[in-house]
Amino acid sequence: MQKINPPFKILDRYIIKKFLGTYVFAIVLILAITIMFDVNEKLDAFLKAPLKATLFDYFLNFLPYFANQFSPLFTFIAVIFFTSKLADNSEIIAMLSSGMSFRRLLRPYMVSAAVIAATTYVLSAYIIPPANVKRIDYTNTYVKNKRVDYGANIQLQVTPGQIAYMSRYDNNTRIGYKFSLETFKDKKLVSRLTAQSIRYDSLQNWQVRDYMIRDFDGNREVITRGSKLDTIIQIEPRDFLISKNDHETMTTPDLSQYIDRQKARGVANIKSFEIEFHRRFAMTAAAFILTVIGMALSSRKVKGGMGVNIGIGLVLSFSYILFTTVTSTFAISGYTSPLVAMWIPNIVYAIIAIVLYRRASRG
């Protein structure tokens, strides 16, 4: 009877355990340092805020957010650190001398990278955005208010052929002033609603007050007046009051729908939302790319020992983050699209990964 080889051997499990263990250790270590710096920076805010809010609304949500934001950095550091240690102890030489190919050695690394990538994506796409709502509310209340609660001269397309306008909107009272809603058919005005004020309820429910509706049918005009009317208008305050961190509070499906809706309305200032959407996917792919680079760099003994590999790894990992920041700035400035901006670093570093992998496999 033929013996069935297990898909993961002891060596694979050993490498996976080392990889993920070092990854978690790196996160815990850097988060501990981050907490110290953050407390020092925001001490005044923490002293005036309730302790429960600081612990559960801020730190409980800030730490996963920060860890996930820099997941590629932690992945790279973990690979460099534990692989350099394996190489320094001649364990990798022993593995390759036993007949194992460099490609086969890479397999447990990629399995570990897949676990990290999947976790990173699920967190960034579905779990962290709702948690960011509490974190951002805390910083807006006790640190620095970055909410946009007022808008003036607001004009946007509600649906194709339907244009809304407000002279002013106050999100604290949820009331807009000097509102108008014009409906066009075949480029001709068929209806116009004007109101002295309009109040947002919820789920696209609006109440117009002191309104007048003018319906046009050729040369015929029908006017309807009233003091109060409940109606559904397919806009929400967040469609035109865009705060700095709003893109961080949306799950990936919500983010995609929001971008499509805003593009259909002709809203221009949604670059940050598009960047965030593509960044989540690019960051997931980065786990694989940086794993290959880290493994190829640190799999051989070098003069100077493990410190040289760690130094090279830190330079490359921080250069990746810097590169991503620079390309994001280009996207915001309109020099390139958010899709290209978020994937250029991955493409460049994927080429570096291929070169280093081939070089290491021949070494």
Side-chain angles (χ1 to χ4, degrees):
M1 186 175 181
Q2 187 177 4
K3 185 178 179 181
I4 300 175
N5 292 321
F8 293 102
K9 297 183 179 179
I10 295 176
L11 183 60
D12 295 320
R13 292 195 292 270
Y14 173 73
I15 291 175
I16 292 171
K17 182 180 178 181
K18 285 285 185 181
F19 188 162
L20 297 180
T22 308
Y23 173 79
V24 173
F25 175 77
I27 288 178
V28 172
L29 182 63
I30 295 177
L31 286 181
I33 298 171
T34 303
I35 289 173
M36 289 190 293
F37 279 103
D38 202 50
V39 169
N40 183 61
E41 182 185 353
K42 301 185 177 75
L43 184 59
D44 290 341
F46 294 152
L47 289 175
K48 67 182 179 182
L51 180 61
K52 182 179 179 181
T54 301
L55 293 177
F56 295 100
D57 292 343
Y58 182 72
F59 277 112
L60 187 64
N61 298 310
F62 169 75
L63 294 179
Y65 165 79
F66 183 86
N68 205 59
Q69 284 287 101
F70 292 93
S71 180
L73 171 63
F74 299 140
T75 302
F76 202 43
I77 290 175
V79 174
I80 289 285
F81 185 81
F82 94 86
T83 306
S84 295
K85 193 172 181 181
L86 292 178
D88 206 44
N89 294 333
S90 300
E91 292 180 71
I92 290 182
I93 293 175
M95 296 175 197
L96 297 176
S97 299
S98 67
M100 176 181 287
S101 67
F102 196 80
R103 181 178 179 182
R104 174 63 183 82
L105 179 61
L106 185 63
R107 190 172 81 172
Y109 282 85
M110 300 310 284
V111 171
S112 302
V115 172
I116 293 172
T119 304
T120 298
Y121 178 74
V122 171
L123 285 172
S124 63
Y126 299 102
I127 297 175
I128 290 178
N132 278 340
V133 175
K134 291 184 178 180
R135 177 182 65 83
I136 292 171
D137 282 345
Y138 178 93
T139 56
N140 285 338
T141 303
Y142 300 107
V143 183
K144 185 178 180 180
N145 189 6
K146 296 181 180 180
R147 277 191 298 257
V148 176
D149 290 324
Y150 303 93
N153 296 322
I154 301 161
Q155 182 173 331
L156 73 162
Q157 179 175 270
V158 179
T159 59
Q162 196 172 53
I163 308 296
Y165 172 81
M166 273 182 274
S167 66
R168 184 166 58 91
Y169 183 82
D170 183 346
N171 200 43
N172 293 316
T173 60
R174 293 191 168 192
I175 295 177
Y177 301 92
K178 303 293 183 182
F179 175 78
S180 70
L181 181 66
E182 298 178 342
T183 304
F184 294 85
K185 186 175 182 181
D186 298 328
K187 298 183 179 180
K188 292 182 179 181
L189 182 64
V190 295
S191 178
R192 187 170 191 266
L193 183 153
T194 57
Q196 290 299 311
S197 65
I198 182 170
R199 189 177 191 280
Y200 180 68
D201 183 8
S202 61
L203 301 175
Q204 300 178 351
N205 291 323
W206 294 83
Q207 185 182 84
V208 292
R209 297 178 180 179
D210 297 326
Y211 68 92
M212 178 176 67
I213 302 174
R214 299 170 65 189
D215 294 312
F216 303 97
D217 185 7
N219 295 325
R220 187 168 173 263
E221 178 182 350
V222 178
I223 298 177
T224 306
R225 299 178 186 270
S227 59
K228 187 185 296 184
L229 176 67
D230 292 320
T231 183
I232 293 177
I233 304 173
Q234 295 179 31
I235 55 174
E236 301 175 46
R238 72 174 185 176
D239 292 334
F240 50 83
L241 296 180
I242 300 174
S243 300
K244 184 178 180 180
N245 298 318
D246 281 352
H247 56 276
E248 296 177 351
T249 64
M250 297 184 187
T251 64
T252 296
D254 290 341
L255 199 56
S256 178
Q257 292 175 8
Y258 180 83
I259 291 169
D260 291 341
R261 189 167 68 246
Q262 294 296 78
K263 282 183 176 179
R265 290 172 174 166
V267 178
N269 58 337
I270 57 169
K271 292 291 185 182
S272 60
F273 295 87
E274 294 179 279
I275 289 171
E276 175 67 16
F277 178 78
H278 295 297
R279 186 193 65 80
R280 293 177 184 180
F281 293 97
M283 190 172 64
T284 302
F288 297 99
I289 297 168
L290 296 178
T291 294
V292 174
I293 293 176
M295 191 267 191
L297 271 177
S298 55
S299 59
R300 305 292 180 183
K301 273 189 176 183
V302 294
K303 290 182 180 180
M306 193 167 57
V308 174
N309 285 333
I310 293 175
I312 295 172
L314 287 173
V315 170
L316 279 173
S317 57
F318 280 111
S319 68
Y320 175 84
I321 294 172
L322 178 62
F323 195 6
T324 304
T325 304
V326 170
T327 54
S328 299
T329 304
F330 287 159
I332 292 171
S333 302
Y335 292 114
T336 184
S337 70
L339 173 63
V340 172
M342 287 296 97
W343 281 94
I344 280 179
N346 278 357
I347 293 170
V348 171
Y349 278 75
I351 295 171
I352 295 174
I354 292 170
V355 171
L356 291 176
Y357 171 78
R358 289 180 176 178
R359 181 180 172 186
S361 60
R362 290 196 301 264

